[in-house]
Amino acid sequence: MRQAVSTWLTLRAGPIGNELLIGLTLAIVVLPQAVAFSTTLAGLPSYFGIYCAVWGVLFTALLNPSRVFHGGPNSTQSAVIGVTLLPVAPQFGPDYIGYALTLFLLAGMIQLLFLAIRPLGRFLDFVSEPVANGMICGIGLYMIFKSFPPFAGLPVNTQVEWRLWIAWQSFLAVLEIGNMHAIHIGLITLLVTVITRQFKALRNWAILLGIIAGTLYSEYLNAHLGIGETLVEQTANISPAGFVYPSLPLLSQEAMPDIISIIPGAITLALLGLFQTVAAMRLMNRKSGQFVDARHGIFADAVSNCVLPFISALPTCASFNRMSLMQAMNTSSRLAAASSALFLLALVGFFGEYIAIIPVPAMAAIIMVVGANMIDWSDIKAHFQHRPEAIVFSASFLSVHVFGLFGAVICGSLLALVYAKWEKAHPNVTLEGNVLRIRGNIYYGSLPVIESLYHRANNDRRFDELIVDFSAVHHIDPEGIRWLAEIGRNDRVRFAERRNGQDRRDDAGGRPGERKRKDRRRRQAL
Amino acid sequence: MKLLATGWGKAARLALLIGTLLALYILAQARHDERAHIREQAVKLTPGCADKLARYGLAAGASYTSPYALAHSGQASIKRGYSTEDVRAIQRGCNIIDDLQGQLAADPARERWNSTRFVRGTHTSCDHCHQGIGDKQTAAGAPQAGSLSLAASWVMADMYDQFTGILLPYELRQMQCYINSSNGYKPNVADDLIRDVTAYSRFLAAALDLRFGNHYAEQGIDEVTASSTLKRGDDYVRGAARYKEKCAHCHGPQGLGTVVDGKMQYPAVAGPNAFNQQSRNNFSFVSTILPGFLCRNMPLGEEGSLSKQDCRDIAFYVSNMPRPAGDKDGPLAALWQQLMMRVMPPLIQAVDTWQGHDAPRDTGT
């Protein structure tokens, strides 16, 4: 029996079968996120999230050549929508929906600007890997914290500031006033998912099995105690939703002052989407071994986000958690993402009433698992090998919880830039006898370091001449040229510029241990 | 079926995870049992609550007739009665309004549902703004107009918030109180803290015979707008003078409140124990609320003695003293305000002492 099952599973897990399985899993994973993000974070009806998870995912899968890419609704973008539109109109109302669509369209057009103006798009590359990983780990933890109240059947705390403290308050609330039936359902889902993940054949089915176990237990409770006794919330029935739901952004003259007031929000929304897409694509390029230019991602996002406001959908951007899942399940083509959209459409269309009975605590448990998956210890360990990287990583991780995601991106990028400049400002300069070797850049930032060593060498009366060797300099700025011209007037100085390879061979040969730590060698030399 | 990775390390990690979940589950069960036990316990009332609830004739029974309504209208209004659990909830709610910090409780955390967890600072209590334990009355025994009555607020449940336009039920409005007016955090809407206060407010409405959906004069605050004054403009300096004359005696020269033997006597209106910058009490945020409160409720015992212009001036002065940043001000503003709250009071006190204006007094922070 066991052999038969595993043979069947191996057969099923053929190339296309595996892609379709990934698609189905993604559809199941994105469904609770779509409903939760649009209703609890963005203040919009649940079909906005669903249509984004269907059409947003399909459009980006078709337009973006990356194998490991999954668009769809995003927690931080949804939070930005809610925060931006809160002062403009009451949530869930027709005005609010109109303004929301306008906001999405503006964001899409700003993203098109990033595509059209190349330097702007290039600016996005300053999100380095430690920044992106710090953000991902931060968001993973944030999603776990955010799931505490629904896990225990409690209303979500809508206070968004001081996240860590609110997470702690929510945790205490779970312990003290959580609905025990909800906690049971959540725990069953969590345990089934975690335990089935340990078996290779069931690994990709773990989330589905967890949800099924949680739902079955919740149905058992409802049958025995009645839903009036258990009070466990279930997913809303979404079967009345059709294929598309056409909509028009609100662009009337009376709305103009409010639309102008939401433009900063639109810029934030657009930037957040692109940052996440570019960062996620860079990460997946490295993990999957396939190289796709991030501009493809910007193109796919920008075009999709200009179309989605007309079919009642949230804006789309790359999803770290679902892409990590795809990567973990070894996806090999875009079929997985495209099929997830179609599966979701089918799920919503044909199995709406079955989706409706999935209890919310089970969904929260799944979001916890997804969040925990985003925290990858091997990545974190790699960053802690190198002190500056560790600082950048920790800063962007912490700032997710202190300044929010946008603050994390800005903070992490600034730190990475400062670090790069700092490294450049300390070039590898050595003085061996009367030879002053300069490696790296000669520019205004590094000149003070070079000059101090030059003056020390110049004052050394043991040698008649001073040889300045800048064979390994790769950039000299105008100030550096003026400095070189000035020291050239000194009779003792002779310039050496050897590009015959002798230098490099020497370097490669001796003292391998010190080659790795250039900075230490420099410090010794100085 | 094959395990993905065998080995003791993996097994140990899995066991650790499941063990942690199990431990948390047992902890949750214990905490739930403790809460259930507290709900069953008899409530020790504060003196104010014992008096108020006795006057309103709170007792378990099949029906409830308000002595207050009978005395004021001559008609008995018979309402559905309260179970013993209801009575305990109402009593606990009254205690929370009267003594949020648990200064009068033997075990504050148990008797007040951990209410201090949701409040930063050691001064804030509901009773400071919602005076008379949420039911302030004039000497004649009539509800005081513009006194933020909880009873009148309950019968206006599900009202639109006039500043944000959001439909806010009574529970959510309570939760808002904790964020800015108490400079703290929202309790969960399902928390006993919220439920008991709602039960108490609801009982007050029944006791005062208020009708659901009606607007009463005692609900909210009589806002004092700039246009309702002689339009001399709000003046910080005038406010400072009036504050020294009328308020500093209790609230301290720098608004840091008065503490005697570790117990708060008069609450802080500035500094780390006060409402924060995004509270509607803050004049710079909403300029009509604090003046309205002052005109109706301050100074204690001499209510109504301040002119409208005085109220605006004092409110302006008070809101310029350093206080915590609001929840939406961000971490940098919070840091700055913390610095101001630490640095300014000793500096100002030093200058005052040097000039000989004020003898140094115990500000009792």
Side-chain angles (χ1 to χ4, degrees), chain A residues 82-119:
Chain A
V83 171
T84 308
L85 295 177
L86 198 62
V88 175
Q91 291 197 329
F92 297 102
D95 284 353
Y96 187 88
I97 292 177
Y99 282 118
L101 294 168
T102 312
L103 178 71
F104 305 162
L105 186 61
L106 285 174
M109 292 193 312
I110 291 164
Q111 292 185 334
L112 274 185
L113 272 184
F114 271 81
L115 183 72
I117 305 170
R118 264 179 180 269

Side-chain angles (χ1 to χ4, degrees), chain A residues 341-420:
Chain A
L342 300 176
F343 271 125
L344 183 62
L345 198 60
L347 276 177
V348 171
F350 300 115
F351 300 104
E353 56 265 56
Y354 297 109
I355 291 169
I357 61 167
I358 297 177
V360 169
M363 288 190 172
I366 294 303
I367 290 192
M368 280 182 178
V369 172
V370 171
N373 269 355
M374 287 164 69
I375 301 169
D376 189 344
W377 293 110
S378 59
D379 281 349
I380 297 175
K381 268 185 211 153
H383 292 315
F384 276 86
Q385 302 287 324
H386 188 217
R387 197 169 49 181
E389 267 206 357
I391 293 171
V392 171
F393 173 85
S394 318
S396 65
F397 173 77
L398 287 178
S399 40
V400 168
H401 297 280
V402 180
F403 301 113
L405 193 71
F406 193 61
V409 173
I410 300 294
C411 179
S413 307
L414 281 180
L415 268 177
L417 278 177
V418 165
Y419 161 62

Side-chain angles (χ1 to χ4, degrees), chain A residues 128-329:
Chain A
S128 64
E129 198 181 38
V131 175
N133 277 336
M135 270 166 51
I136 294 165
C137 293
I139 300 167
L141 206 58
Y142 178 70
M143 283 170 70
I144 295 176
F145 290 157
K146 203 80 186 162
S147 307
F148 284 150
F151 182 84
L154 293 170
V156 172
N157 189 334
T158 48
Q159 196 174 348
V160 289
E161 285 73 23
W162 310 114
R163 294 164 183 82
L164 287 178
W165 190 253
I166 287 157
W168 174 241
Q169 301 276 12
S170 305
F171 177 70
L172 291 176
V174 170
L175 289 186
E176 286 171 355
I177 54 168
N179 178 346
M180 285 316 274
H181 295 301
I183 292 178
H184 291 152
I185 294 170
L187 275 179
I188 285 175
T189 312
L190 205 57
L191 288 177
V192 169
T193 310
V194 168
I195 291 170
T196 47
R197 277 169 60 86
Q198 309 306 318
F199 300 97
K200 194 175 183 188
L202 294 176
R203 190 172 172 80
N204 293 354
W205 296 87
I207 286 174
L208 285 183
L209 290 174
I211 284 197
I212 290 169
T215 310
L216 286 179
Y217 181 65
S218 135
E219 283 305 292
Y220 165 80
L221 281 181
N222 288 345
H224 278 255
L225 300 169
I227 201 163
E229 174 66 28
T230 63
L231 292 174
V232 173
E233 208 182 339
Q234 297 180 332
T235 316
N237 190 352
I238 34 179
S239 54
F243 274 95
V244 283
Y245 191 92
S247 58
L248 268 182
L250 184 69
L251 288 167
S252 62
Q253 197 175 348
E254 305 87 77
M256 276 305 152
D258 283 333
I259 290 172
I260 290 167
S261 77
I262 60 176
I263 285 176
I267 295 172
T268 313
L269 194 63
L271 272 177
L272 265 181
L274 288 185
F275 271 136
Q276 292 187 65
T277 297
V278 169
M281 283 184 69
R282 272 174 68 162
L283 194 73
M284 288 305 151
N285 275 342
R286 259 167 238 168
K287 285 194 170 172
S288 70
Q290 174 205 23
F291 181 77
V292 180
D293 191 345
R295 279 180 66 79
H296 290 293
I298 301 178
F299 170 74
D301 270 21
V303 172
S304 309
N305 285 338
C306 287
V307 177
L308 289 175
F310 296 95
I311 49 174
S312 299
L314 292 176
T316 172
C317 80
S319 157
F320 283 120
N321 59 65
R322 296 191 292 274
M323 282 164 71
S324 314
L325 189 68
M326 285 174 96
Q327 174 63 24
M329 292 174 81

